[in-house]
Amino acid sequence: MTEQTAPPFYLDCDTGIDDALALGYMLASPEADLIGIGTVSGNVSAADGARNTLDLLELAGHSGIPVALGAHDPQAGSFGGGAPHVHGRNGVGDVELPASKAELAPETAAELLIRLAHENPGRLRVLAVGPLTNIAEALRLEPELPRLVEDITIMGGAALAPGNITTVAEANIANDPEAAADVFAAEWNVTLVPLDVTMTNVLEESQRQELLSEEHPFPKALGDMLGYYFQFYLNQFGRACSALHDPLAAAIAVGGIQVDTAPVVHVEVDATSGPGRGQTICDMRGRYMGYPEQPGARCRVVLSLAEEFPPHLVDTLRSGWAQSGREPEELALAAG
Amino acid sequence: MTEQTAPPFYLDCDTGIDDALALGYMLASPEADLIGIGTVSGNVSAADGARNTLDLLELAGHSGIPVALGAHDPQAGSFGGGAPHVHGRNGVGDVELPASKAELAPETAAELLIRLAHENPGRLRVLAVGPLTNIAEALRLEPELPRLVEDITIMGGAALAPGNITTVAEANIANDPEAAADVFAAEWNVTLVPLDVTMTNVLEESQRQELLSEEHPFPKALGDMLGYYFQFYLNQFGRACSALHDPLAAAIAVGGIQVDTAPVVHVEVDATSGPGRGQTICDMRGRYMGYPEQPGARCRVVLSLAEEFPPHLVDTLRSGWAQSGREPEELALAAG
């Protein structure tokens, strides 16, 4: 499939180490045409996430893709400072990326999403791997958005798995439950990639070494960042490895990896101030009957994969850089 | 083990078909000395549950065990009418039990529990298989209760499984979340037997037939009731069979069945008015590390069993009626 026929994607992210992996996957995959990116506060501030995104695009040789700054604060309250213990002080594992000279797009993330949806009516696909603040804002600004876009894939939440930021809540959803509630209530087709499947498909040290062994500075930088990420997951898994939240959502959105159990069910977000705040309440009561159809449900919740994800991710991230705008040697020079 | 050395048990129930199975298990097991029963509104009203309990005790030849009427209404709101679609209009699958002439105890269920705790300091064990209204009331009336009883085993909630009365809530907890919150906050050792394990250990029709084939009217009556219960579960499992909520909690409390995965974790009850109301929020975040110790946690949450439960349940319910106060022939006559 050529870039012309690949579906256009808008990516909303809070870059972030696993956001960087998702970005790399979208750039490397021939099945996706990434035409715009918005950032939101989450792993880092929206501004730091935009800076990281611009630098990563430059390093990958894709500096022409517009990056728009999105919301700094969630709908309720204010940005809590991110997760430096997971993603490093700079959000990319304290790896120093060569600074891009590219400028931010002259519109907000929500405005960029809406513009791209109008320019690609019925074709634009949305991949959201951060808090859903920008997406909810776009829904408010353009109520027709659900009919303008093809679908939305969201990394977030937990269906039958434990949470990661509270007992039952996952970080992306918990960072802005009100926005998430709006997004899940909108009338569009959602694919949710929750902790159930992102915590059970794990990248190992040998696979990180494959990225580090690449000559191109982009996959090498991803391997470097993962060193920091692996340290955080040492306490989660008992060994140096990592979950693959955002890149798995990217691969499922793009169709690069096939899902196994993925029922379409009703999903509601707990936006109370109680102990369940930020939980994605997915109606999995049909599990004992093989998940019969739920009339009116629009959210496909991915619980398991039909194939191994980590090797596919590594293969994809090692390829795809030959067609970049700049030569690897030039990029290596810039990176030095 | 003789009845004298078996630990004394107080049973709190809302009888109910699976409560009847749990009652039968406690009576038949040589490992438990059932010395008092309180009833609470849940599957049926507290009064109907008490009537069913008295009738079942009479049929089993154990009419000397005191039965105390407990709370009709939960802490917030009022009794919703029970679950006749699950348990039949009379609560025992519309099976007509011979009416007991025994009277209710002259105290409330909470008062009975407190009296028995004082009479058996440090020894009394509590098995609660209905909403936790009576247990919470007893905690209010006697703050020393957690130190007076050995432990409490609760059938209720869901840890990593779907709910059964709402998306995330199980009926016993959802029928009185405020009471449940009090019970899980008290400083005692709790064993929680949630839907995770009660929905995955299922009684089949052939096993129901074994109960029906008994000459003693008590196990025969249980087999009859299960016919009604099986019809409800047809829509849950796609075949005539049933979950085994309350009897599994009884068997685990008594030690008649060994558990496999059962981490001791923090548990909080959602008592908000949000979509998670009634959920048992169990901290299962340690699952990827084999559930490391959680300092201060007191609730053992049973997720899987080390052995098959249904055959053990049927064997136990088919035995143990020889030592009853009345002869089987006499009981059969009364039942006729």
mmCIF file of all heavy atoms in Angstrom, chain A residues 160-163 166-167 199 236-238 268 270 272 274-276 279 281-285 287-289, chain B residues 160-163 166-167 199 236-238 268 270 272 274-276 279 281-285 287-289:
data_model
loop_
_atom_site.group_PDB
_atom_site.id
_atom_site.type_symbol
_atom_site.label_atom_id
_atom_site.label_comp_id
_atom_site.label_asym_id
_atom_site.label_seq_id
_atom_site.Cartn_x
_atom_site.Cartn_y
_atom_site.Cartn_z
ATOM 1 N N LEU A 160 -11.075 -5.588 32.767
ATOM 2 C CA LEU A 160 -11.068 -6.598 33.830
ATOM 3 C C LEU A 160 -9.679 -6.701 34.459
ATOM 4 O O LEU A 160 -9.374 -7.660 35.165
ATOM 5 C CB LEU A 160 -11.507 -7.955 33.285
ATOM 6 C CG LEU A 160 -12.949 -8.018 32.743
ATOM 7 C CD1 LEU A 160 -13.207 -9.340 32.040
ATOM 8 C CD2 LEU A 160 -13.956 -7.806 33.873
ATOM 9 N N ALA A 161 -8.847 -5.723 34.191
ATOM 10 C CA ALA A 161 -7.493 -5.688 34.752
ATOM 11 C C ALA A 161 -7.434 -4.610 35.833
ATOM 12 O O ALA A 161 -8.275 -3.710 35.861
ATOM 13 C CB ALA A 161 -6.476 -5.388 33.652
ATOM 14 N N PRO A 162 -6.437 -4.665 36.719
ATOM 15 C CA PRO A 162 -6.281 -3.586 37.700
ATOM 16 C C PRO A 162 -5.894 -2.273 37.019
ATOM 17 O O PRO A 162 -5.391 -2.281 35.886
ATOM 18 C CB PRO A 162 -5.117 -4.075 38.578
ATOM 19 C CG PRO A 162 -4.900 -5.513 38.242
ATOM 20 C CD PRO A 162 -5.419 -5.710 36.853
ATOM 21 N N GLY A 163 -6.097 -1.146 37.712
ATOM 22 C CA GLY A 163 -5.640 0.141 37.220
ATOM 23 C C GLY A 163 -4.127 0.283 37.365
ATOM 24 O O GLY A 163 -3.455 -0.632 37.841
ATOM 25 N N THR A 166 -4.605 4.469 39.976
ATOM 26 C CA THR A 166 -5.294 4.120 41.217
ATOM 27 C C THR A 166 -5.632 2.639 41.108
ATOM 28 O O THR A 166 -5.306 1.991 40.108
ATOM 29 C CB THR A 166 -6.606 4.917 41.424
ATOM 30 O OG1 THR A 166 -7.606 4.416 40.525
ATOM 31 C CG2 THR A 166 -6.409 6.398 41.215
ATOM 32 N N THR A 167 -6.317 2.135 42.128
ATOM 33 C CA THR A 167 -6.660 0.709 42.155
ATOM 34 C C THR A 167 -7.389 0.278 40.889
ATOM 35 O O THR A 167 -7.140 -0.800 40.362
ATOM 36 C CB THR A 167 -7.527 0.420 43.389
ATOM 37 O OG1 THR A 167 -6.858 0.926 44.536
ATOM 38 C CG2 THR A 167 -7.761 -1.061 43.567
ATOM 39 N N MET A 199 -0.631 -4.520 29.355
ATOM 40 C CA MET A 199 0.245 -5.021 30.429
ATOM 41 C C MET A 199 0.624 -6.483 30.216
ATOM 42 O O MET A 199 1.420 -7.036 30.986
ATOM 43 C CB MET A 199 -0.449 -4.864 31.791
ATOM 44 C CG MET A 199 -0.506 -3.445 32.298
ATOM 45 S SD MET A 199 1.130 -2.718 32.690
ATOM 46 C CE MET A 199 1.483 -3.465 34.297
ATOM 47 N N GLN A 236 7.153 -3.298 38.562
ATOM 48 C CA GLN A 236 5.847 -3.823 38.165
ATOM 49 C C GLN A 236 5.926 -5.292 37.776
ATOM 50 O O GLN A 236 4.992 -6.048 37.968
ATOM 51 C CB GLN A 236 5.288 -3.050 36.955
ATOM 52 C CG GLN A 236 5.381 -1.539 37.067
ATOM 53 C CD GLN A 236 4.429 -1.005 38.092
ATOM 54 O OE1 GLN A 236 3.250 -1.316 38.044
ATOM 55 N NE2 GLN A 236 4.921 -0.222 39.029
ATOM 56 N N PHE A 237 7.044 -5.656 37.146
ATOM 57 C CA PHE A 237 7.150 -7.010 36.588
ATOM 58 C C PHE A 237 8.266 -7.831 37.237
ATOM 59 O O PHE A 237 8.368 -9.020 36.977
ATOM 60 C CB PHE A 237 7.400 -6.942 35.073
ATOM 61 C CG PHE A 237 6.228 -6.443 34.277
ATOM 62 C CD1 PHE A 237 6.272 -5.208 33.641
ATOM 63 C CD2 PHE A 237 5.077 -7.214 34.150
ATOM 64 C CE1 PHE A 237 5.191 -4.748 32.883
ATOM 65 C CE2 PHE A 237 3.999 -6.758 33.399
ATOM 66 C CZ PHE A 237 4.052 -5.528 32.767
ATOM 67 N N GLY A 238 9.122 -7.179 38.021
ATOM 68 C CA GLY A 238 10.199 -7.921 38.675
ATOM 69 C C GLY A 238 11.396 -8.169 37.779
ATOM 70 O O GLY A 238 12.311 -8.915 38.149
ATOM 71 N N GLU A 268 -18.683 3.233 30.250
ATOM 72 C CA GLU A 268 -19.018 4.464 30.964
ATOM 73 C C GLU A 268 -17.802 4.828 31.801
ATOM 74 O O GLU A 268 -17.092 3.953 32.280
ATOM 75 C CB GLU A 268 -20.225 4.162 31.877
ATOM 76 C CG GLU A 268 -20.889 5.345 32.512
ATOM 77 C CD GLU A 268 -22.155 4.923 33.291
ATOM 78 O OE1 GLU A 268 -22.432 3.709 33.355
ATOM 79 O OE2 GLU A 268 -22.826 5.800 33.823
ATOM 80 N N ASP A 270 -16.243 6.613 35.175
ATOM 81 C CA ASP A 270 -16.566 7.111 36.506
ATOM 82 C C ASP A 270 -15.956 8.500 36.665
ATOM 83 O O ASP A 270 -14.733 8.636 36.765
ATOM 84 C CB ASP A 270 -16.029 6.152 37.571
ATOM 85 C CG ASP A 270 -16.487 6.521 38.976
ATOM 86 O OD1 ASP A 270 -16.711 7.725 39.235
ATOM 87 O OD2 ASP A 270 -16.643 5.619 39.812
ATOM 88 N N THR A 272 -17.085 10.552 39.139
ATOM 89 C CA THR A 272 -17.388 10.985 40.501
ATOM 90 C C THR A 272 -16.084 11.358 41.206
ATOM 91 O O THR A 272 -14.995 11.207 40.651
ATOM 92 C CB THR A 272 -18.045 9.851 41.319
ATOM 93 O OG1 THR A 272 -17.082 8.810 41.555
ATOM 94 C CG2 THR A 272 -19.248 9.261 40.586
ATOM 95 N N GLY A 274 -15.400 9.733 43.937
ATOM 96 C CA GLY A 274 -15.241 8.549 44.792
ATOM 97 C C GLY A 274 -13.997 7.749 44.448
ATOM 98 O O GLY A 274 -13.177 8.157 43.622
ATOM 99 N N PRO A 275 -13.865 6.577 45.081
ATOM 100 C CA PRO A 275 -12.652 5.763 44.903
ATOM 101 C C PRO A 275 -12.520 5.160 43.506
ATOM 102 O O PRO A 275 -11.448 4.700 43.140
ATOM 103 C CB PRO A 275 -12.803 4.660 45.959
ATOM 104 C CG PRO A 275 -14.268 4.580 46.214
ATOM 105 C CD PRO A 275 -14.799 5.968 46.036
ATOM 106 N N GLY A 276 -13.613 5.177 42.735
ATOM 107 C CA GLY A 276 -13.563 4.644 41.377
ATOM 108 C C GLY A 276 -13.314 5.709 40.323
ATOM 109 O O GLY A 276 -13.349 5.419 39.124
ATOM 110 N N GLN A 279 -12.244 5.325 36.424
ATOM 111 C CA GLN A 279 -12.378 3.947 35.944
ATOM 112 C C GLN A 279 -13.188 3.906 34.641
ATOM 113 O O GLN A 279 -14.179 4.622 34.494
ATOM 114 C CB GLN A 279 -13.086 3.091 37.006
ATOM 115 C CG GLN A 279 -13.207 1.613 36.612
ATOM 116 C CD GLN A 279 -13.877 0.761 37.687
ATOM 117 O OE1 GLN A 279 -14.505 1.281 38.611
ATOM 118 N NE2 GLN A 279 -13.753 -0.543 37.560
ATOM 119 N N ILE A 281 -15.737 1.869 33.080
ATOM 120 C CA ILE A 281 -16.665 0.804 33.480
ATOM 121 C C ILE A 281 -17.172 0.137 32.204
ATOM 122 O O ILE A 281 -18.082 0.641 31.539
ATOM 123 C CB ILE A 281 -17.792 1.392 34.345
ATOM 124 C CG1 ILE A 281 -17.171 1.938 35.639
ATOM 125 C CG2 ILE A 281 -18.871 0.372 34.610
ATOM 126 C CD1 ILE A 281 -18.169 2.471 36.638
ATOM 127 N N CYS A 282 -16.531 -0.966 31.847
ATOM 128 C CA CYS A 282 -16.845 -1.702 30.622
ATOM 129 C C CYS A 282 -17.786 -2.853 30.977
ATOM 130 O O CYS A 282 -17.517 -3.594 31.918
ATOM 131 C CB CYS A 282 -15.572 -2.261 30.004
ATOM 132 S SG CYS A 282 -14.278 -1.026 29.696
ATOM 133 N N ASP A 283 -18.841 -2.992 30.220
ATOM 134 C CA ASP A 283 -19.835 -4.019 30.552
ATOM 135 C C ASP A 283 -19.399 -5.381 30.008
ATOM 136 O O ASP A 283 -19.723 -5.755 28.881
ATOM 137 C CB ASP A 283 -21.207 -3.649 30.012
ATOM 138 C CG ASP A 283 -22.278 -4.578 30.573
ATOM 139 O OD1 ASP A 283 -21.914 -5.612 31.184
ATOM 140 O OD2 ASP A 283 -23.475 -4.267 30.414
ATOM 141 N N MET A 284 -18.664 -6.120 30.841
ATOM 142 C CA MET A 284 -18.115 -7.414 30.437
ATOM 143 C C MET A 284 -18.968 -8.565 30.967
ATOM 144 O O MET A 284 -18.502 -9.712 30.996
ATOM 145 C CB MET A 284 -16.675 -7.544 30.952
ATOM 146 C CG MET A 284 -15.758 -6.357 30.679
ATOM 147 S SD MET A 284 -15.831 -5.712 28.989
ATOM 148 C CE MET A 284 -14.736 -6.847 28.164
ATOM 149 N N ARG A 285 -20.213 -8.285 31.359
ATOM 150 C CA ARG A 285 -21.023 -9.338 31.977
ATOM 151 C C ARG A 285 -21.330 -10.489 31.043
ATOM 152 O O ARG A 285 -21.719 -11.567 31.469
ATOM 153 C CB ARG A 285 -22.309 -8.737 32.555
ATOM 154 C CG ARG A 285 -22.056 -7.970 33.841
ATOM 155 C CD ARG A 285 -23.305 -7.303 34.356
ATOM 156 N NE ARG A 285 -23.676 -6.148 33.549
ATOM 157 C CZ ARG A 285 -24.729 -5.377 33.785
ATOM 158 N NH1 ARG A 285 -25.538 -5.665 34.805
ATOM 159 N NH2 ARG A 285 -24.983 -4.335 33.033
ATOM 160 N N ARG A 287 -19.226 -12.223 29.457
ATOM 161 C CA ARG A 287 -18.034 -13.069 29.269
ATOM 162 C C ARG A 287 -18.336 -14.557 29.373
ATOM 163 O O ARG A 287 -17.650 -15.370 28.763
ATOM 164 C CB ARG A 287 -16.950 -12.694 30.281
ATOM 165 C CG ARG A 287 -17.190 -13.221 31.667
ATOM 166 C CD ARG A 287 -16.202 -12.716 32.690
ATOM 167 N NE ARG A 287 -14.827 -13.091 32.419
ATOM 168 C CZ ARG A 287 -13.856 -13.040 33.330
ATOM 169 N NH1 ARG A 287 -14.125 -12.629 34.562
ATOM 170 N NH2 ARG A 287 -12.636 -13.384 33.045
ATOM 171 N N TYR A 288 -19.342 -14.924 30.179
ATOM 172 C CA TYR A 288 -19.629 -16.352 30.378
ATOM 173 C C TYR A 288 -20.422 -16.933 29.206
ATOM 174 O O TYR A 288 -20.698 -18.124 29.166
ATOM 175 C CB TYR A 288 -20.373 -16.553 31.706
ATOM 176 C CG TYR A 288 -19.653 -15.908 32.873
ATOM 177 C CD1 TYR A 288 -20.114 -14.730 33.457
ATOM 178 C CD2 TYR A 288 -18.471 -16.461 33.371
ATOM 179 C CE1 TYR A 288 -19.435 -14.128 34.511
ATOM 180 C CE2 TYR A 288 -17.782 -15.865 34.421
ATOM 181 C CZ TYR A 288 -18.276 -14.696 34.987
ATOM 182 O OH TYR A 288 -17.597 -14.099 36.017
ATOM 183 N N MET A 289 -20.813 -16.046 28.288
ATOM 184 C CA MET A 289 -21.587 -16.465 27.111
ATOM 185 C C MET A 289 -20.867 -16.078 25.824
ATOM 186 O O MET A 289 -21.501 -15.971 24.770
ATOM 187 C CB MET A 289 -22.962 -15.789 27.124
ATOM 188 C CG MET A 289 -23.879 -16.243 28.229
ATOM 189 S SD MET A 289 -24.752 -17.757 27.773
ATOM 190 C CE MET A 289 -26.066 -17.041 26.748
ATOM 191 N N LEU B 160 -11.676 -8.904 39.888
ATOM 192 C CA LEU B 160 -11.311 -8.696 38.489
ATOM 193 C C LEU B 160 -12.353 -9.314 37.566
ATOM 194 O O LEU B 160 -12.104 -9.503 36.376
ATOM 195 C CB LEU B 160 -9.922 -9.292 38.216
ATOM 196 C CG LEU B 160 -8.759 -8.656 38.988
ATOM 197 C CD1 LEU B 160 -7.474 -9.449 38.794
ATOM 198 C CD2 LEU B 160 -8.558 -7.203 38.561
ATOM 199 N N ALA B 161 -13.507 -9.619 38.097
ATOM 200 C CA ALA B 161 -14.611 -10.190 37.316
ATOM 201 C C ALA B 161 -15.705 -9.132 37.155
ATOM 202 O O ALA B 161 -15.757 -8.167 37.915
ATOM 203 C CB ALA B 161 -15.169 -11.419 38.023
ATOM 204 N N PRO B 162 -16.581 -9.292 36.165
ATOM 205 C CA PRO B 162 -17.703 -8.356 36.037
ATOM 206 C C PRO B 162 -18.664 -8.487 37.226
ATOM 207 O O PRO B 162 -18.652 -9.501 37.925
ATOM 208 C CB PRO B 162 -18.406 -8.822 34.751
ATOM 209 C CG PRO B 162 -17.474 -9.774 34.082
ATOM 210 C CD PRO B 162 -16.594 -10.346 35.139
ATOM 211 N N GLY B 163 -19.483 -7.465 37.443
ATOM 212 C CA GLY B 163 -20.525 -7.536 38.457
ATOM 213 C C GLY B 163 -21.683 -8.410 38.002
ATOM 214 O O GLY B 163 -21.675 -8.970 36.896
ATOM 215 N N THR B 166 -24.971 -4.771 38.678
ATOM 216 C CA THR B 166 -24.618 -3.688 37.752
ATOM 217 C C THR B 166 -23.358 -4.143 37.029
ATOM 218 O O THR B 166 -22.861 -5.254 37.280
ATOM 219 C CB THR B 166 -24.336 -2.345 38.462
ATOM 220 O OG1 THR B 166 -23.063 -2.428 39.121
ATOM 221 C CG2 THR B 166 -25.417 -1.983 39.460
ATOM 222 N N THR B 167 -22.836 -3.285 36.183
ATOM 223 C CA THR B 167 -21.644 -3.638 35.412
ATOM 224 C C THR B 167 -20.492 -4.085 36.307
ATOM 225 O O THR B 167 -19.770 -5.016 35.981
ATOM 226 C CB THR B 167 -21.207 -2.422 34.567
ATOM 227 O OG1 THR B 167 -22.315 -1.977 33.796
ATOM 228 C CG2 THR B 167 -20.089 -2.782 33.617
ATOM 229 N N MET B 199 -18.461 -17.620 40.056
ATOM 230 C CA MET B 199 -19.021 -17.780 38.704
ATOM 231 C C MET B 199 -18.236 -18.786 37.877
ATOM 232 O O MET B 199 -18.617 -19.099 36.748
ATOM 233 C CB MET B 199 -19.053 -16.433 37.972
ATOM 234 C CG MET B 199 -20.132 -15.480 38.471
ATOM 235 S SD MET B 199 -21.822 -16.054 38.166
ATOM 236 C CE MET B 199 -22.030 -15.625 36.411
ATOM 237 N N GLN B 236 -27.212 -16.882 31.707
ATOM 238 C CA GLN B 236 -25.857 -16.450 32.074
ATOM 239 C C GLN B 236 -24.799 -17.350 31.445
ATOM 240 O O GLN B 236 -23.725 -16.896 31.103
ATOM 241 C CB GLN B 236 -25.673 -16.500 33.600
ATOM 242 C CG GLN B 236 -26.792 -15.852 34.391
ATOM 243 C CD GLN B 236 -26.806 -14.361 34.216
ATOM 244 O OE1 GLN B 236 -25.788 -13.727 34.397
ATOM 245 N NE2 GLN B 236 -27.934 -13.798 33.844
ATOM 246 N N PHE B 237 -25.131 -18.653 31.366
ATOM 247 C CA PHE B 237 -24.111 -19.625 30.938
ATOM 248 C C PHE B 237 -24.496 -20.337 29.637
ATOM 249 O O PHE B 237 -23.687 -21.082 29.086
ATOM 250 C CB PHE B 237 -23.874 -20.672 32.032
ATOM 251 C CG PHE B 237 -23.201 -20.142 33.266
ATOM 252 C CD1 PHE B 237 -23.891 -20.041 34.463
ATOM 253 C CD2 PHE B 237 -21.870 -19.741 33.228
ATOM 254 C CE1 PHE B 237 -23.264 -19.561 35.608
ATOM 255 C CE2 PHE B 237 -21.239 -19.264 34.367
ATOM 256 C CZ PHE B 237 -21.937 -19.166 35.559
ATOM 257 N N GLY B 238 -25.731 -20.169 29.180
ATOM 258 C CA GLY B 238 -26.126 -20.828 27.943
ATOM 259 C C GLY B 238 -26.510 -22.287 28.118
ATOM 260 O O GLY B 238 -26.747 -22.994 27.135
ATOM 261 N N GLU B 268 -11.849 -1.542 49.272
ATOM 262 C CA GLU B 268 -12.657 -0.362 49.579
ATOM 263 C C GLU B 268 -13.976 -0.544 48.833
ATOM 264 O O GLU B 268 -13.992 -1.095 47.736
ATOM 265 C CB GLU B 268 -11.910 0.870 49.073
ATOM 266 C CG GLU B 268 -12.448 2.200 49.513
ATOM 267 C CD GLU B 268 -11.532 3.357 49.047
ATOM 268 O OE1 GLU B 268 -10.531 3.072 48.347
ATOM 269 O OE2 GLU B 268 -11.833 4.500 49.361
ATOM 270 N N ASP B 270 -17.208 1.168 46.945
ATOM 271 C CA ASP B 270 -17.714 2.402 46.340
ATOM 272 C C ASP B 270 -19.127 2.657 46.874
ATOM 273 O O ASP B 270 -20.067 1.945 46.527
ATOM 274 C CB ASP B 270 -17.721 2.267 44.813
ATOM 275 C CG ASP B 270 -18.072 3.584 44.116
ATOM 276 O OD1 ASP B 270 -18.827 4.401 44.706
ATOM 277 O OD2 ASP B 270 -17.617 3.795 42.981
ATOM 278 N N THR B 272 -20.465 5.763 46.590
ATOM 279 C CA THR B 272 -20.953 6.964 45.921
ATOM 280 C C THR B 272 -22.287 6.653 45.243
ATOM 281 O O THR B 272 -22.760 5.522 45.247
ATOM 282 C CB THR B 272 -19.970 7.437 44.824
ATOM 283 O OG1 THR B 272 -19.982 6.490 43.751
ATOM 284 C CG2 THR B 272 -18.558 7.586 45.355
ATOM 285 N N GLY B 274 -22.429 7.158 42.028
ATOM 286 C CA GLY B 274 -21.977 7.064 40.642
ATOM 287 C C GLY B 274 -22.168 5.679 40.052
ATOM 288 O O GLY B 274 -22.761 4.800 40.676
ATOM 289 N N PRO B 275 -21.632 5.487 38.831
ATOM 290 C CA PRO B 275 -21.839 4.219 38.130
ATOM 291 C C PRO B 275 -21.121 3.038 38.770
ATOM 292 O O PRO B 275 -21.419 1.891 38.454
ATOM 293 C CB PRO B 275 -21.276 4.496 36.728
ATOM 294 C CG PRO B 275 -20.302 5.606 36.911
ATOM 295 C CD PRO B 275 -20.846 6.435 38.036
ATOM 296 N N GLY B 276 -20.184 3.316 39.677
ATOM 297 C CA GLY B 276 -19.463 2.244 40.348
ATOM 298 C C GLY B 276 -20.048 1.887 41.710
ATOM 299 O O GLY B 276 -19.476 1.068 42.428
ATOM 300 N N GLN B 279 -19.381 -1.352 44.063
ATOM 301 C CA GLN B 279 -18.222 -2.127 43.639
ATOM 302 C C GLN B 279 -17.277 -2.369 44.825
ATOM 303 O O GLN B 279 -17.059 -1.480 45.639
ATOM 304 C CB GLN B 279 -17.459 -1.369 42.535
ATOM 305 C CG GLN B 279 -16.257 -2.132 41.978
ATOM 306 C CD GLN B 279 -15.528 -1.389 40.861
ATOM 307 O OE1 GLN B 279 -15.734 -0.192 40.671
ATOM 308 N NE2 GLN B 279 -14.704 -2.097 40.136
ATOM 309 N N ILE B 281 -13.711 -2.423 45.492
ATOM 310 C CA ILE B 281 -12.476 -1.993 44.829
ATOM 311 C C ILE B 281 -11.317 -2.696 45.520
ATOM 312 O O ILE B 281 -10.845 -2.270 46.574
ATOM 313 C CB ILE B 281 -12.370 -0.459 44.866
ATOM 314 C CG1 ILE B 281 -13.523 0.131 44.037
ATOM 315 C CG2 ILE B 281 -11.009 0.010 44.366
ATOM 316 C CD1 ILE B 281 -13.516 1.629 43.925
ATOM 317 N N CYS B 282 -10.890 -3.805 44.928
ATOM 318 C CA CYS B 282 -9.829 -4.636 45.501
ATOM 319 C C CYS B 282 -8.515 -4.271 44.813
ATOM 320 O O CYS B 282 -8.463 -4.220 43.587
ATOM 321 C CB CYS B 282 -10.128 -6.120 45.259
ATOM 322 S SG CYS B 282 -11.746 -6.656 45.860
ATOM 323 N N ASP B 283 -7.486 -4.060 45.589
ATOM 324 C CA ASP B 283 -6.213 -3.614 45.002
ATOM 325 C C ASP B 283 -5.436 -4.819 44.467
ATOM 326 O O ASP B 283 -4.621 -5.427 45.173
ATOM 327 C CB ASP B 283 -5.384 -2.857 46.032
ATOM 328 C CG ASP B 283 -4.191 -2.173 45.374
ATOM 329 O OD1 ASP B 283 -3.894 -2.486 44.199
ATOM 330 O OD2 ASP B 283 -3.564 -1.322 46.029
ATOM 331 N N MET B 284 -5.652 -5.129 43.202
ATOM 332 C CA MET B 284 -5.030 -6.282 42.562
ATOM 333 C C MET B 284 -3.829 -5.875 41.714
ATOM 334 O O MET B 284 -3.379 -6.632 40.859
ATOM 335 C CB MET B 284 -6.054 -7.011 41.684
ATOM 336 C CG MET B 284 -7.399 -7.286 42.331
ATOM 337 S SD MET B 284 -7.299 -7.967 44.013
ATOM 338 C CE MET B 284 -7.025 -9.690 43.638
ATOM 339 N N ARG B 285 -3.301 -4.663 41.949
ATOM 340 C CA ARG B 285 -2.218 -4.169 41.095
ATOM 341 C C ARG B 285 -0.949 -5.014 41.195
ATOM 342 O O ARG B 285 -0.087 -4.936 40.330
ATOM 343 C CB ARG B 285 -1.920 -2.698 41.418
ATOM 344 C CG ARG B 285 -2.971 -1.778 40.823
ATOM 345 C CD ARG B 285 -2.729 -0.333 41.219
ATOM 346 N NE ARG B 285 -3.056 -0.088 42.618
ATOM 347 C CZ ARG B 285 -2.938 1.094 43.209
ATOM 348 N NH1 ARG B 285 -2.474 2.122 42.523
ATOM 349 N NH2 ARG B 285 -3.274 1.242 44.481
ATOM 350 N N ARG B 287 -0.733 -8.124 40.707
ATOM 351 C CA ARG B 287 -0.913 -9.399 40.006
ATOM 352 C C ARG B 287 0.279 -9.759 39.123
ATOM 353 O O ARG B 287 0.540 -10.933 38.899
ATOM 354 C CB ARG B 287 -2.186 -9.368 39.161
ATOM 355 C CG ARG B 287 -2.063 -8.579 37.879
ATOM 356 C CD ARG B 287 -3.357 -8.420 37.128
ATOM 357 N NE ARG B 287 -3.966 -9.672 36.723
ATOM 358 C CZ ARG B 287 -4.887 -9.772 35.773
ATOM 359 N NH1 ARG B 287 -5.303 -8.704 35.135
ATOM 360 N NH2 ARG B 287 -5.411 -10.917 35.458
ATOM 361 N N TYR B 288 0.969 -8.736 38.585
ATOM 362 C CA TYR B 288 2.072 -9.017 37.671
ATOM 363 C C TYR B 288 3.343 -9.424 38.422
ATOM 364 O O TYR B 288 4.352 -9.765 37.803
ATOM 365 C CB TYR B 288 2.333 -7.798 36.778
ATOM 366 C CG TYR B 288 1.078 -7.308 36.084
ATOM 367 C CD1 TYR B 288 0.423 -6.157 36.507
ATOM 368 C CD2 TYR B 288 0.529 -8.037 35.033
ATOM 369 C CE1 TYR B 288 -0.744 -5.724 35.889
ATOM 370 C CE2 TYR B 288 -0.638 -7.613 34.406
ATOM 371 C CZ TYR B 288 -1.272 -6.452 34.839
ATOM 372 O OH TYR B 288 -2.432 -6.029 34.241
ATOM 373 N N MET B 289 3.271 -9.345 39.767
ATOM 374 C CA MET B 289 4.429 -9.693 40.603
ATOM 375 C C MET B 289 4.063 -10.802 41.598
ATOM 376 O O MET B 289 4.740 -10.956 42.630
ATOM 377 C CB MET B 289 4.890 -8.460 41.385
ATOM 378 C CG MET B 289 5.491 -7.368 40.559
ATOM 379 S SD MET B 289 7.246 -7.664 40.237
ATOM 380 C CE MET B 289 7.942 -7.102 41.819
#
